[in-house]
Amino acid sequence: MLELLDYAFMQRALLAALLIGVAAPAVGIFLVQRRQALMGDGIGHVALTGVALGFLLQTNPVWMAVLVSSLGAVAMELLRSSGRARGDIALAMLFYGGMAGGVMIINLAPGGSTANLTTYLWGSITTVSPQDITAICVLSAFVLCVALGLRRQLFAVCQDEEFARVTGLPVRALNLLLAVTAAATVTVAMRVVGLLLVSALMVIPVVTAQAVTRGFKATLILSMGVGVLVSISGTVTSYHVDVPPGATIVLIALGVFAVVSLLALPLARHRARRSAQPSQATENALAARP
């Protein structure tokens, strides 16, 4: 492990993996809570259009992807909240429009082809540049500030929008902020796991943590720990075995989820028995009455 730190590109790769491993589950827990686990995929397809625009306009693809994906996420949230289109329809429009726009625009760029999008589609963490690290650090800091600083408000909105509105919370503003934060997370993670796999890193650590925890705070902390674990281990494994890092990270995450789920089965049965004991005691008391 220590010998990896002798190489500058691996230092950048491990730092990027660490930041994404923390940031992705911190936002993913809110998407899972409001049953929008696939939102990351939709935003990822829109971010592809931003990457292509970056090549066309000869600007930084990462920052252009942030801008375009944020606009797409806001548009989807406005459609969902207005009732003009259901959430699944808005998500489908993001999927198809983003992918088609990216492919069309990249072919209009000077010397551009779909091959230029490969590293963004599947991730290439070992080719992360110093400029990419700067963008990842800035975006990760923004994501963590929002997700951790406003976790109570975001939890309330994702749990019950009507109740949150009654209590005086700015529901529309918080929903839009969450959408922009999710877009920033997708853009951060695209250099690590790729736009096509980014949703996995936002969702799998969360559902893994939910298998063994019950409270929101414990789930948040554990999911971030799982995210860091799978990101770092996937990066190290890809270096030693010479396999794609994005796919390796996701497969390790799935493996951790499978192991934790199996180990959590006895705990789930124990909880079920404990919850059934009061009702059984009540039935016995009623049966004992004359």
Side-chain angles (χ1 to χ4, degrees), residues 39 67 108 201 241 261:
M39 184 177 179
L67 175 61
L108 297 176
L201 198 55
V241 186
S261 297

Side-chain angles (χ1 to χ4, degrees), residues 5 33 35 39 47 58 109-110 118 194 217 233-234 237 256-257 288:
L5 300 179
Q33 185 181 357
R35 293 179 175 83
M39 184 177 179
Q58 297 182 353
T118 302
K217 183 178 180 180
S233 58
T237 301
V256 172
F257 168 72

Side-chain angles (χ1 to χ4, degrees), residues 7-275:
Y7 304 101
F9 75 94
M10 284 305 299
Q11 294 174 7
R12 294 192 295 269
L14 290 171
L15 177 58
L18 173 64
L19 293 173
I20 278 89
V22 173
V27 175
I29 189 171
F30 299 108
L31 301 183
V32 171
Q33 185 181 357
R34 68 191 305 174
R35 293 179 175 83
Q36 288 184 322
L38 292 179
M39 184 177 179
D41 280 329
I43 297 175
H45 285 69
V46 175
L48 186 66
T49 299
V51 171
L53 274 175
F55 282 105
L56 178 64
L57 302 177
Q58 297 182 353
T59 60
N60 191 315
V62 174
W63 292 112
M64 185 59 70
V66 172
L67 175 61
V68 174
S69 60
S70 297
L71 293 175
V74 167
M76 189 191 78
E77 175 58 32
L78 291 176
L79 284 172
R80 184 194 68 84
S81 60
S82 67
R84 296 176 184 174
R86 298 198 313 271
D88 56 341
I89 296 177
L91 193 60
M93 289 190 291
L94 282 177
F95 267 77
Y96 307 136
M99 183 66 74
V103 173
M104 179 65 70
I105 293 172
I106 194 63
N107 282 280
L108 297 176
S113 69
T114 52
N116 298 113
L117 301 178
T118 302
T119 58
Y120 296 94
L121 284 172
W122 301 107
S124 182
I125 192 171
T126 55
T127 62
V128 172
S129 66
Q131 292 77 16
D132 291 331
I133 285 294
T134 300
I136 290 173
C137 288
V138 172
L139 293 172
S140 296
F142 166 74
V143 168
L144 291 174
C145 285
V146 172
L148 299 181
L150 298 175
R151 63 186 183 279
R152 291 185 177 87
Q153 293 87 337
L154 292 174
F155 175 82
V157 170
C158 294
Q159 186 73 16
D160 190 337
E161 284 193 8
E162 293 302 322
F163 176 77
R165 189 173 285 109
V166 169
T167 59
L169 288 175
V171 174
R172 171 65 66 84
L174 288 171
N175 279 331
L176 293 177
L177 180 60
L178 180 61
V180 172
T181 306
T185 306
V186 168
T187 310
V188 166
M190 72 180 180
R191 296 292 282 143
V192 177
V193 295
L195 293 172
L196 296 182
L197 297 175
V198 63
S199 190
L201 198 55
M202 299 171 70
V203 173
I204 297 176
V206 176
V207 296
T208 301
Q210 286 179 337
V212 294
T213 59
R214 302 187 73 174
F216 174 78
K217 183 178 180 180
T219 302
L220 176 62
I221 294 173
L222 183 57
S223 64
M224 292 168 68
V226 173
V228 171
L229 173 65
V230 299
S231 297
I232 296 293
S233 58
T235 302
V236 174
T237 301
S238 68
Y239 171 80
H240 287 293
V241 186
D242 192 21
V243 290
T248 304
I249 291 172
V250 173
L251 290 175
I252 290 177
L254 288 171
V256 172
F257 168 72
V259 172
V260 170
S261 297
L262 289 175
L263 295 177
L265 284 177
L267 178 62
R269 294 195 186 100
H270 178 67
R271 288 174 177 171
R273 291 194 205 98
R274 290 188 61 183
S275 62

